[in-house]
Amino acid sequence: MDALNTLYPFTAIVGQSQLKLALILNVINPKLGGVLIRGEKGTAKSTAVRSLSGLVPELNVVNLPVSATEDRVVGALDIEHAIKTGEKKFEPGLLAAAHGHILYVDEINLLDDHIVDVLLDAAAMGVNTVEREGISHSHPARFLLVGTMNPEEGDLRPQLLDRFALSVEVGGERDVRERAAVIRRRLEYEQDPATFVKQYQSEQENMLRQILQARKRLDGIRITDDMLELAARIGIGLEVDGHRSDITLIKTALTLAAWHEHEAVCLEHIKHAARFVLPHRMRRQPFEETGGMEERLQAVLEPALTV
């Protein structure tokens, strides 16, 4: 079996249900806008991202190292060649390689802010444009942007956080049996990757089938004005800047409805979507931890959902 076929199976990952769901939602609906995964080291962040390409054959993972230069990311124009010949000569970068695939940035909080801006602009527009000395070149750049980070090593600017559609907080398993299962499966995989992967082949195929069916359902999901107003009410109540969060909240709720095989968005979809879309956009109070932000989110959600 080749390297792609011996990737750790997505369905073999123990726990981390919200992390896996956030990735699945972005595969179902590529227009969502990516995932930011925050959590301590050794919590299957990288494993989940890489295993996604083993689950969905059309996806490859293109890694963007923290040390990457702007030319390596966006591509380079040969100005000297253009002056001499009058023809543009473009050397594609990582954004071109990631078109139609996953662009994965580990420790994205350590990446230069300017590079992050470029990534997010390309992800939002679906196009990468390089301009040098009055010469420009554009190419399609539609990709699933996934960033992982350990908050202990610093955070992203609020303006950049807002550009990620979804965010997920992950941690190590605290249940003894679940934690033991993590160890057992990893040892089995390392001992015989091919055999381990075959054990999950049926589950992998079933999940891919569900994803493809959800894609087909997505455009037909209904949403009422009441649900749109609820999203707006939540955004106002949490004092979230701008309208990006409201729109992303609705897109996520629609995608959740498609995934759960429902015909229309309901309150539970809105509530679930809010926990993906809003925490990283909320204004953090001085010395406030994640738990405090969760309480604020809960305080706003409950009254809104009983209206």
Side-chain angles (χ1 to χ4, degrees):
M1 300 180 76
D2 59 33
L4 181 61
N5 292 327
T6 54
L7 285 170
Y8 194 90
F10 190 81
T11 54
I13 296 172
V14 177
Q16 307 297 9
S17 60
Q18 296 310 295
L19 164 57
K20 291 185 286 189
L21 180 56
L23 292 169
I24 288 170
L25 294 177
N26 271 270
V27 174
I28 294 170
N29 185 357
K31 296 180 181 179
L32 271 184
V35 186
L36 178 63
I37 307 168
R38 301 195 286 189
E40 60 198 45
K41 296 178 180 179
T43 49
K45 299 190 296 294
S46 297
T47 298
V49 177
R50 299 184 195 286
S51 65
L52 196 61
S53 64
L55 176 68
V56 186
E58 69 197 52
L59 296 176
N60 291 321
V61 176
V62 176
N63 292 292
L64 193 158
V66 172
S67 60
T69 63
E70 182 176 359
D71 282 352
R72 180 75 182 96
V73 174
V74 304
L77 283 166
D78 189 331
I79 303 301
E80 184 177 350
H81 179 83
I83 293 173
K84 288 181 177 179
T85 67
E87 298 177 350
K88 288 190 291 187
K89 184 178 180 182
F90 178 69
E91 183 67 30
L94 293 173
L95 293 184
H99 180 57
H101 303 293
I102 300 169
L103 183 60
Y104 174 51
V105 189
D106 192 18
E107 298 183 321
I108 191 169
N109 52 320
L110 304 183
L111 194 64
D112 182 82
D113 281 348
H114 174 64
I115 301 295
V116 178
D117 280 326
V118 169
L119 290 180
L120 295 172
D121 285 343
M125 300 297 293
V127 175
N128 175 47
T129 299
V130 182
E131 296 183 358
R132 298 287 187 275
E133 305 295 334
I135 301 172
S136 66
H137 177 83
S138 298
H139 65 79
R142 298 181 182 89
F143 49 83
L144 167 51
L145 178 62
V146 181
T148 57
M149 57 176 281
N150 183 347
E152 294 178 358
E153 298 172 346
D155 213 337
L156 289 170
R157 301 198 319 266
Q159 299 93 324
L160 298 180
L161 286 171
D162 180 51
R163 300 287 292 279
F164 277 94
L166 313 182
S167 73
V168 183
E169 297 275 351
V170 297
E173 292 294 337
R174 294 294 179 258
D175 179 85
V176 172
R177 291 184 179 180
E178 292 281 284
R179 204 171 178 107
V182 172
I183 301 169
R184 185 182 308 111
R185 291 187 186 183
R186 173 52 66 172
L187 293 176
E188 290 175 356
Y189 171 72
E190 292 181 356
Q191 183 175 9
D192 189 347
T195 299
F196 185 83
V197 168
K198 285 181 181 179
Q199 292 175 1
Y200 290 88
Q201 184 174 348
S202 177
E203 290 183 32
Q204 293 276 102
E205 291 173 352
N206 287 337
M207 179 166 284
L208 176 59
R209 190 177 304 112
Q210 293 171 7
I211 289 171
L212 297 178
Q213 290 172 349
R215 278 184 183 173
K216 293 179 180 179
R217 282 191 294 269
L218 183 58
D219 287 341
I221 304 297
R222 301 191 309 273
I223 187 163
T224 64
D225 287 343
D226 286 347
M227 293 295 101
L228 297 178
E229 291 176 5
L230 176 57
R233 191 178 300 119
I234 291 171
I236 293 170
L238 287 171
E239 299 180 342
V240 179
D241 294 333
H243 301 291
R244 183 179 285 118
S245 64
D246 303 0
I247 296 168
T248 305
L249 177 58
I250 291 300
K251 286 182 178 179
T252 305
L254 286 164
T255 311
L256 280 165
W259 174 243
H260 291 302
E261 301 182 25
H262 295 167
E263 296 180 353
V265 171
C266 69
L267 292 175
E268 284 306 310
H269 299 137
I270 294 287
K271 187 174 182 178
H272 198 165
R275 299 188 183 282
F276 281 132
V277 173
L278 296 176
H280 63 296
R281 292 181 164 92
M282 293 165 59
R283 297 176 184 175
R284 191 184 296 269
Q285 303 297 331
F287 310 111
E288 183 177 39
E289 300 296 333
T290 302
M293 297 184 73
E294 171 64 23
E295 292 176 2
R296 288 166 55 205
L297 179 59
Q298 182 73 13
V300 171
L301 278 175
E302 290 305 326
L305 294 174
T306 57
V307 173

